[in-house]
Amino acid sequence: MERYWNKTIETMNREQIQALQLEKLRATVQNVYTHVPYYRKKMQEKGIVPEDIKTLDNLSNLPITTKQDLRNTYPFGMFAVPMEDIIRIHASSGTTGKQTVVGYTRRDLDIWAECMARCLVMEDANTSSRVQIAYGYGLFTGGLGAHYGVEKLGATVIPASSGNTQRQITMLIDFGVTHLYCTPSYALNIAEVMREMGHTKDEMKLVAGSFGAEPWSNAIRTEIESLLGLRAHDIYGLSEIMGPAVSHECRHQNGLHIWEDCFIAEITNPDTGEPVREGEAGDLVITTINKEGIPLIRYKTRDICTLNYEPCECGRTHVRMSKPAGRTDDMLIIRGVNVFPSQIESALLSIGEVQPHYQILVDRVNNLDTLTIEIELNDEMFSDNVKGIEEFEKKVSRQINSVLGINAKIHLVEPKSIARSEGKAKRVIDRRNI
Ligand code: DLL
């Protein structure tokens, strides 16, 4: 029997969803036109007024919003309400430029908690559950975003934040934690430290967990599920839109339901910006239709995925996005071949002996791109002879070539020589100065 947090909303039929979306879209467009001068100007430049939005198809006439727009209006220029109504600020890390700042009203935070509570129920959490949140708390949306969903549901929240891994494990065991929230790379790290501490998954009561904030392959899912003894759900979100709980996988683990009463999702061609045909992969573009603080029109996420409108076995009707393959800005072009780090990960882990601890190094030598993949040996292989290691390197290299069509130099390194992650893992080091 499926349980829902908000059955009426979660199982609305497509006509009802579309009617609700159109009503909320029109209100949102009117709102930003009136209250956000930056949007008014953009719409005027395109010759559009709010009254032009008569159908959902008219959405594609509206301007796209990018991270650059948020930077141009830094810090609060896109807010649609006075600062007195903003009760919390979050910001993205800003590793590639000025950080982007977002503000939430009390109603925004309530809706965020509602979306999060729906996700928790999708993974069988209830008031008896104990949820350990090992996403970072702070300006990053992971910790606090998940936190208030757990409180809304009425489960017990353990606000561990990230880091201090041994203590995380002690709490997981001693507090009888049922649900774990952290990045997939941190989940692997926790599993490894658990083993080193001499603990086993049988000492834990974990049922499920939500892992996201970075791309992760199904091979990593299998790894996390078997090491920690739980069902691993994917959770997606981004600071600009809402943080975690924009979408989440149900127990069928076959795509992430996007909460369509709050967001309208489109897929566009990353190069032309034109909508793609149904089912085709492209850039996920999201319009928020239930936000007060910083409503965004057609925000270009740069995350590559597909949308699936087929009914889901769980009974939820909200569209499913595929597991994001990666960001357009993270795509590597190696001698003309486009490849996402997540594809390299899948190819690597399809070889049983490869550990999920690897790093991708990209260089440019004599004007040619080179790809080196450092992979950690496990203890058993480390004690193997040189010939065995060389043969294994060749095997991995052949696999990468046959699956992805690129040549990679494989470099096997000592156990534990690749840094472990407590948040978003840094898998790619691009040393080309381009
Ligand atoms: O990472 C929000 C979040 C926190 C999501 C906790 C899930 C769990 P940002 O730091 O703004 O926000 O980064 C957003 O991370 O555009 C994607 O590229 C990537 N990302 C987030 N979730 C996933 C996922 C948070 N499940 C950026 N799979 C997004 C792949 C993801 N990539």
Side-chain angles (χ1 to χ4, degrees):
M1 248 299 272
E2 282 291 344
R3 286 179 61 247
Y4 306 97
W5 172 254
N6 188 337
K7 188 168 182 194
T8 314
I9 295 279
E10 293 177 53
T11 62
M12 287 171 115
N13 65 35
R14 185 72 8 218
E15 290 71 41
Q16 290 168 322
I17 293 178
Q18 287 179 338
L20 182 68
Q21 287 189 326
L22 179 59
E23 182 197 321
K24 289 189 175 192
L25 174 66
R26 296 181 69 170
T28 300
V29 173
Q30 183 66 62
N31 180 25
V32 297
Y33 192 83
T34 314
H35 295 112
V36 186
Y38 194 81
Y39 269 130
R40 187 162 54 245
K41 185 160 168 282
K42 276 193 137 195
M43 284 172 60
Q44 282 167 345
E45 278 164 12
K46 285 200 128 210
I48 306 171
V49 289
E51 293 70 31
D52 292 335
I53 304 299
K54 297 196 169 69
T55 66
L56 280 180
D57 288 339
N58 296 149
L59 178 65
S60 57
N61 301 330
L62 288 167
I64 288 279
T65 309
T66 63
K67 213 178 181 78
Q68 190 55 45
D69 290 316
L70 288 164
R71 291 195 176 123
N72 293 347
T73 52
Y74 174 86
F76 307 141
M78 300 284 268
F79 290 10
V81 295
M83 280 310 277
E84 299 89 273
D85 294 338
I86 296 288
I87 64 167
R88 197 194 304 160
I89 293 287
H90 280 286
S92 77
S93 54
T95 40
T96 53
K98 219 181 233 172
Q99 60 180 348
T100 47
V101 182
V102 286
Y104 297 78
T105 64
R106 188 172 304 282
R107 182 173 177 279
D108 290 338
L109 292 182
D110 277 350
I111 287 167
W112 191 2
E114 150 86 24
C115 290
M116 212 39 253
R118 293 183 201 167
C119 300
L120 281 148
V121 173
M122 273 181 166
E123 53 193 0
D124 300 330
N126 55 40
T127 48
S128 320
S129 305
R130 297 168 199 175
V131 186
Q132 185 158 322
I133 298 177
Y135 285 117
Y137 278 62
L139 287 167
F140 175 58
T141 50
L144 287 168
H147 182 101
Y148 286 99
V150 183
E151 289 194 353
K152 178 129 189 154
L153 171 67
T156 307
V157 62
I158 295 126
S161 198
S162 62
N164 211 337
T165 309
Q166 296 203 350
R167 183 157 160 245
Q168 300 269 2
I169 291 156
T170 307
M171 289 194 289
L172 285 170
I173 296 172
D174 293 353
F175 297 175
V177 171
T178 56
H179 291 74
L180 173 64
Y181 273 55
C182 63
T183 60
S185 54
Y186 193 39
L188 288 174
N189 185 351
I190 289 177
E192 188 177 43
V193 174
M194 176 185 85
R195 207 196 55 212
E196 286 165 5
M197 287 169 76
H199 290 299
T200 69
K201 62 182 176 188
D202 301 333
E203 295 168 70
M204 303 204 219
K205 294 202 168 59
L206 284 171
V207 176
S210 291
F211 307 98
E214 62 185 3
W216 53 305
S217 60
N218 277 320
I220 294 278
R221 186 208 301 275
T222 311
E223 195 81 17
I224 294 175
E225 290 189 334
S226 80
L227 292 171
L228 291 174
L230 47 67
R231 209 174 50 245
H233 295 246
D234 199 346
I235 182 166
Y236 169 84
L238 59 164
S239 334
E240 294 83 352
I241 297 296
M242 196 176 74
V246 169
S247 65
H248 191 269
E249 277 178 338
C250 62
R251 60 157 50 244
H252 299 282
Q253 297 173 311
N254 185 17
L256 295 83
H257 291 278
I258 301 178
W259 298 123
E260 287 190 275
D261 55 320
C262 298
F263 311 107
I264 303 181
E266 301 170 81
I267 303 285
T268 61
N269 180 308
D271 302 322
T272 64
E274 292 296 316
V276 300
R277 277 200 303 272
E278 200 175 318
E280 245 176 61
D283 199 335
L284 176 66
V285 170
I286 300 179
T287 301
T288 66
I289 47 171
N290 210 4
K291 273 184 87 180
E292 294 179 336
I294 175 166
L296 293 182
I297 305 289
R298 305 192 75 211
Y299 185 74
K300 193 173 160 69
T301 65
R302 293 182 160 272
D303 291 313
I304 297 291
C305 63
T306 58
L307 291 183
N308 177 2
Y309 287 91
E310 296 283 306
C312 179
E313 281 177 75
C314 74
R316 291 178 185 82
T317 47
H318 294 230
V319 66
R320 280 171 288 163
M321 60 186 266
S322 58
K323 247 175 158 339
R327 300 177 56 76
T328 47
D329 26 11
D330 289 343
M331 189 177 72
L332 298 168
I333 306 178
I334 307 292
R335 301 193 187 185
V337 181
N338 298 355
V339 56
F340 282 110
S342 61
Q343 293 174 292
I344 298 181
E345 176 177 292
S346 296
L348 285 178
L349 297 187
S350 66
I351 307 174
E353 304 99 307
V354 172
Q355 301 290 297
H357 307 296
Y358 66 91
Q359 201 147 47
I360 299 168
L361 308 172
V362 190
D363 278 298
R364 180 159 283 184
V365 182
N366 299 332
N367 289 321
L368 282 180
D369 300 327
T370 61
L371 179 69
T372 307
I373 307 174
E374 289 186 345
I375 306 171
E376 252 184 48
L377 287 162
N378 61 25
D379 291 326
E380 195 186 310
M381 290 171 83
F382 187 55
S383 54
D384 220 346
N385 58 36
V386 177
K387 191 153 186 300
I389 288 179
E390 276 174 7
E391 256 154 36
F392 188 63
E393 284 179 343
K394 280 192 201 134
K395 177 174 165 185
V396 179
S397 181
R398 272 199 305 273
Q399 172 74 354
I400 294 290
N401 188 280
S402 78
V403 178
L404 302 173
I406 48 175
N407 288 323
K409 189 159 173 255
I410 306 300
H411 187 199
L412 296 173
V413 296
E414 278 179 43
K416 303 230 59 167
S417 56
I418 291 175
R420 299 297 188 255
S421 138
E422 292 181 348
K424 296 185 191 243
K426 182 145 181 56
R427 302 264 194 216
V428 181
I429 300 178
D430 197 337
R431 296 187 286 211
R432 296 173 295 182
N433 277 329
I434 48 175

